[in-house]
Amino acid sequence: MLGRTVNFDPFRQSRPANSRNQAGRRQSDKGKLTASADRFYPEQMKNVLSFKFENKDEETVAIVPCVDGVGLDQLVADFERAAGYSDPAGGYGGLIPSFYRFGPLSSYFLGRKEPLQGGGQGEIYVLSCECGEVGCWPLVAHVRLHQNKVIWDGFSQPHRPRRNYESFGPFEFERQQYEQVIEDLVRCHGVD
């Protein structure tokens, strides 16, 4: 089963294929609309976190965060292409817990672990290099916890510090859904 991808989203509901814009934001006829490039999205609508799993080989599984059903690796690749970041450095891949000591993922994704080297509290790797090594070509984000929501923002590529990711995200999740999908990730797939 090499190369198999499995999507995991216990809250998935069927949605029209054209109901999302390029940033992964849901579109709706209700609520205040805000422009984003050539698309519009409701200003107050929350994103939905899920994970997909990619088998790298018979024993290695990569975890790819998804925002509104779209892999974060694809979202950031599309963003970088549109921003003109076309250097040949590398591609993104999922996080491989067996390659890197993230600690309990239930704490890691809440930004409660030790900060990354030189990073601030709440800074985590959300993607690794396509080779599986986080130090090779990672995507870093800040996790900001609030009473009823979790926000991913402050994205950066440590090997290209001059790149500006200010317009990538932020992604805002309902805290209950966010914590539940991480709990389900740990329980169902034993990756904590």
mmCIF file of all heavy atoms in Angstrom, residues 5 15 28 31 34 45-46 66 72 75 80 83 91 114 117 122 133 148 159 163 173 178 190:
data_model
loop_
_atom_site.group_PDB
_atom_site.id
_atom_site.type_symbol
_atom_site.label_atom_id
_atom_site.label_comp_id
_atom_site.label_asym_id
_atom_site.label_seq_id
_atom_site.Cartn_x
_atom_site.Cartn_y
_atom_site.Cartn_z
ATOM 1 N N THR A 5 -3.060 7.405 0.417
ATOM 2 C CA THR A 5 -3.447 8.568 1.195
ATOM 3 C C THR A 5 -4.819 8.310 1.782
ATOM 4 O O THR A 5 -5.726 7.884 1.089
ATOM 5 C CB THR A 5 -3.498 9.832 0.309
ATOM 6 O OG1 THR A 5 -2.206 10.056 -0.239
ATOM 7 C CG2 THR A 5 -3.942 11.032 1.102
ATOM 8 N N ARG A 15 -20.024 18.916 0.891
ATOM 9 C CA ARG A 15 -20.094 20.319 0.506
ATOM 10 C C ARG A 15 -19.938 20.411 -1.002
ATOM 11 O O ARG A 15 -19.245 19.597 -1.596
ATOM 12 C CB ARG A 15 -18.954 21.107 1.165
ATOM 13 C CG ARG A 15 -18.996 21.079 2.670
ATOM 14 C CD ARG A 15 -17.793 21.832 3.223
ATOM 15 N NE ARG A 15 -17.807 21.779 4.665
ATOM 16 C CZ ARG A 15 -16.875 21.182 5.396
ATOM 17 N NH1 ARG A 15 -15.856 20.608 4.841
ATOM 18 N NH2 ARG A 15 -16.966 21.180 6.699
ATOM 19 N N SER A 28 -20.007 31.486 1.154
ATOM 20 C CA SER A 28 -21.403 31.393 1.543
ATOM 21 C C SER A 28 -22.107 32.656 1.092
ATOM 22 O O SER A 28 -21.483 33.693 0.897
ATOM 23 C CB SER A 28 -21.505 31.245 3.057
ATOM 24 O OG SER A 28 -22.829 31.387 3.479
ATOM 25 N N GLY A 31 -23.720 36.437 5.677
ATOM 26 C CA GLY A 31 -22.669 37.111 6.427
ATOM 27 C C GLY A 31 -21.927 38.134 5.582
ATOM 28 O O GLY A 31 -22.099 38.251 4.379
ATOM 29 N N THR A 34 -15.628 39.441 2.473
ATOM 30 C CA THR A 34 -14.361 40.143 2.374
ATOM 31 C C THR A 34 -13.643 39.661 1.122
ATOM 32 O O THR A 34 -13.666 38.476 0.818
ATOM 33 C CB THR A 34 -13.482 39.838 3.609
ATOM 34 O OG1 THR A 34 -14.228 40.195 4.769
ATOM 35 C CG2 THR A 34 -12.190 40.613 3.576
ATOM 36 N N MET A 45 -16.466 33.200 9.157
ATOM 37 C CA MET A 45 -16.552 31.752 9.054
ATOM 38 C C MET A 45 -15.237 31.098 9.495
ATOM 39 O O MET A 45 -14.162 31.546 9.129
ATOM 40 C CB MET A 45 -16.887 31.325 7.637
ATOM 41 C CG MET A 45 -17.190 29.855 7.575
ATOM 42 S SD MET A 45 -18.261 29.385 6.240
ATOM 43 C CE MET A 45 -19.802 30.071 6.717
ATOM 44 N N LYS A 46 -15.331 30.053 10.287
ATOM 45 C CA LYS A 46 -14.158 29.339 10.794
ATOM 46 C C LYS A 46 -13.731 28.265 9.806
ATOM 47 O O LYS A 46 -14.527 27.732 9.042
ATOM 48 C CB LYS A 46 -14.483 28.674 12.132
ATOM 49 C CG LYS A 46 -14.961 29.620 13.209
ATOM 50 C CD LYS A 46 -13.827 30.146 14.022
ATOM 51 C CE LYS A 46 -14.254 30.864 15.268
ATOM 52 N NZ LYS A 46 -14.882 32.126 15.101
ATOM 53 N N CYS A 66 -4.855 19.313 7.019
ATOM 54 C CA CYS A 66 -5.722 19.823 5.948
ATOM 55 C C CYS A 66 -6.581 20.943 6.524
ATOM 56 O O CYS A 66 -7.049 20.857 7.656
ATOM 57 C CB CYS A 66 -6.630 18.723 5.412
ATOM 58 S SG CYS A 66 -5.741 17.337 4.678
ATOM 59 N N LEU A 72 -2.526 21.158 3.572
ATOM 60 C CA LEU A 72 -1.749 22.377 3.788
ATOM 61 C C LEU A 72 -0.564 22.436 2.833
ATOM 62 O O LEU A 72 -0.166 23.512 2.398
ATOM 63 C CB LEU A 72 -1.285 22.452 5.250
ATOM 64 C CG LEU A 72 -0.673 23.770 5.701
ATOM 65 C CD1 LEU A 72 -1.674 24.917 5.568
ATOM 66 C CD2 LEU A 72 -0.171 23.663 7.133
ATOM 67 N N LEU A 75 -2.001 23.929 -0.274
ATOM 68 C CA LEU A 75 -2.330 25.342 -0.073
ATOM 69 C C LEU A 75 -1.087 26.216 -0.110
ATOM 70 O O LEU A 75 -1.062 27.256 -0.766
ATOM 71 C CB LEU A 75 -3.071 25.542 1.251
ATOM 72 C CG LEU A 75 -4.496 25.012 1.332
ATOM 73 C CD1 LEU A 75 -5.032 25.130 2.755
ATOM 74 C CD2 LEU A 75 -5.399 25.743 0.360
ATOM 75 N N GLU A 80 2.840 29.914 -2.702
ATOM 76 C CA GLU A 80 4.210 30.237 -3.102
ATOM 77 C C GLU A 80 4.318 30.449 -4.614
ATOM 78 O O GLU A 80 5.011 31.358 -5.064
ATOM 79 C CB GLU A 80 5.170 29.141 -2.639
ATOM 80 C CG GLU A 80 5.373 29.145 -1.137
ATOM 81 C CD GLU A 80 6.291 28.042 -0.656
ATOM 82 O OE1 GLU A 80 6.562 27.080 -1.419
ATOM 83 O OE2 GLU A 80 6.737 28.128 0.499
ATOM 84 N N ALA A 83 2.898 33.778 -5.407
ATOM 85 C CA ALA A 83 3.764 34.850 -4.901
ATOM 86 C C ALA A 83 5.071 34.953 -5.676
ATOM 87 O O ALA A 83 5.874 35.843 -5.414
ATOM 88 C CB ALA A 83 4.055 34.628 -3.417
ATOM 89 N N GLY A 91 10.072 20.697 -1.834
ATOM 90 C CA GLY A 91 8.625 20.615 -1.686
ATOM 91 C C GLY A 91 8.294 20.229 -0.265
ATOM 92 O O GLY A 91 9.139 19.768 0.498
ATOM 93 N N GLU A 114 8.127 22.886 23.843
ATOM 94 C CA GLU A 114 9.241 23.830 23.774
ATOM 95 C C GLU A 114 9.235 24.544 22.424
ATOM 96 O O GLU A 114 8.956 23.924 21.399
ATOM 97 C CB GLU A 114 10.572 23.077 23.923
ATOM 98 C CG GLU A 114 10.794 22.503 25.304
ATOM 99 C CD GLU A 114 10.993 23.585 26.346
ATOM 100 O OE1 GLU A 114 11.697 24.562 26.074
ATOM 101 O OE2 GLU A 114 10.424 23.443 27.443
ATOM 102 N N GLN A 117 13.855 26.154 17.620
ATOM 103 C CA GLN A 117 15.084 26.921 17.786
ATOM 104 C C GLN A 117 14.863 28.343 17.299
ATOM 105 O O GLN A 117 14.479 28.572 16.160
ATOM 106 C CB GLN A 117 16.219 26.285 16.992
ATOM 107 C CG GLN A 117 16.685 24.979 17.581
ATOM 108 C CD GLN A 117 17.843 24.404 16.811
ATOM 109 O OE1 GLN A 117 18.133 24.774 15.689
ATOM 110 N NE2 GLN A 117 18.529 23.470 17.439
ATOM 111 N N GLY A 122 4.550 28.742 21.121
ATOM 112 C CA GLY A 122 3.460 28.444 20.209
ATOM 113 C C GLY A 122 3.885 28.220 18.778
ATOM 114 O O GLY A 122 3.065 27.965 17.911
ATOM 115 N N GLU A 133 12.091 15.054 6.600
ATOM 116 C CA GLU A 133 12.937 15.689 7.614
ATOM 117 C C GLU A 133 12.473 17.126 7.852
ATOM 118 O O GLU A 133 12.439 17.938 6.928
ATOM 119 C CB GLU A 133 14.392 15.685 7.146
ATOM 120 C CG GLU A 133 15.351 16.441 8.018
ATOM 121 C CD GLU A 133 15.356 15.953 9.451
ATOM 122 O OE1 GLU A 133 15.490 14.737 9.676
ATOM 123 O OE2 GLU A 133 15.237 16.792 10.363
ATOM 124 N N ASN A 148 -12.302 30.154 22.664
ATOM 125 C CA ASN A 148 -13.183 29.399 21.775
ATOM 126 C C ASN A 148 -12.623 29.147 20.388
ATOM 127 O O ASN A 148 -13.336 28.641 19.520
ATOM 128 C CB ASN A 148 -14.530 30.130 21.633
ATOM 129 C CG ASN A 148 -15.262 30.187 22.951
ATOM 130 O OD1 ASN A 148 -15.303 29.203 23.681
ATOM 131 N ND2 ASN A 148 -15.823 31.340 23.268
ATOM 132 N N HIS A 159 14.343 28.611 5.930
ATOM 133 C CA HIS A 159 15.474 28.650 4.997
ATOM 134 C C HIS A 159 15.354 29.769 3.969
ATOM 135 O O HIS A 159 16.273 29.982 3.182
ATOM 136 C CB HIS A 159 15.632 27.298 4.305
ATOM 137 C CG HIS A 159 15.898 26.192 5.274
ATOM 138 N ND1 HIS A 159 16.999 26.167 6.104
ATOM 139 C CD2 HIS A 159 15.186 25.070 5.561
ATOM 140 C CE1 HIS A 159 16.961 25.078 6.855
ATOM 141 N NE2 HIS A 159 15.870 24.409 6.551
ATOM 142 N N ARG A 163 11.141 35.624 2.528
ATOM 143 C CA ARG A 163 9.812 35.367 1.973
ATOM 144 C C ARG A 163 8.751 35.928 2.920
ATOM 145 O O ARG A 163 8.861 35.803 4.122
ATOM 146 C CB ARG A 163 9.567 33.872 1.785
ATOM 147 C CG ARG A 163 10.324 33.288 0.632
ATOM 148 C CD ARG A 163 9.912 31.853 0.425
ATOM 149 N NE ARG A 163 10.585 31.282 -0.732
ATOM 150 C CZ ARG A 163 10.372 30.055 -1.178
ATOM 151 N NH1 ARG A 163 9.517 29.269 -0.551
ATOM 152 N NH2 ARG A 163 11.006 29.618 -2.235
ATOM 153 N N PHE A 173 -9.788 28.181 13.605
ATOM 154 C CA PHE A 173 -10.558 26.965 13.863
ATOM 155 C C PHE A 173 -11.366 27.117 15.150
ATOM 156 O O PHE A 173 -10.905 27.763 16.091
ATOM 157 C CB PHE A 173 -9.612 25.757 14.034
ATOM 158 C CG PHE A 173 -8.593 25.616 12.938
ATOM 159 C CD1 PHE A 173 -7.300 26.087 13.115
ATOM 160 C CD2 PHE A 173 -8.926 25.016 11.741
ATOM 161 C CE1 PHE A 173 -6.350 25.957 12.112
ATOM 162 C CE2 PHE A 173 -7.984 24.876 10.729
ATOM 163 C CZ PHE A 173 -6.698 25.354 10.913
ATOM 164 N N TYR A 178 -11.111 21.614 16.762
ATOM 165 C CA TYR A 178 -9.658 21.476 16.645
ATOM 166 C C TYR A 178 -9.134 20.432 17.632
ATOM 167 O O TYR A 178 -8.414 19.511 17.259
ATOM 168 C CB TYR A 178 -9.032 22.847 16.912
ATOM 169 C CG TYR A 178 -7.544 22.943 16.724
ATOM 170 C CD1 TYR A 178 -7.005 23.326 15.502
ATOM 171 C CD2 TYR A 178 -6.663 22.701 17.778
ATOM 172 C CE1 TYR A 178 -5.636 23.457 15.332
ATOM 173 C CE2 TYR A 178 -5.295 22.832 17.620
ATOM 174 C CZ TYR A 178 -4.786 23.203 16.393
ATOM 175 O OH TYR A 178 -3.433 23.323 16.229
ATOM 176 N N GLY A 190 -2.863 6.064 16.885
ATOM 177 C CA GLY A 190 -1.762 5.784 17.800
ATOM 178 C C GLY A 190 -0.488 6.545 17.499
ATOM 179 O O GLY A 190 0.594 5.993 17.568
#
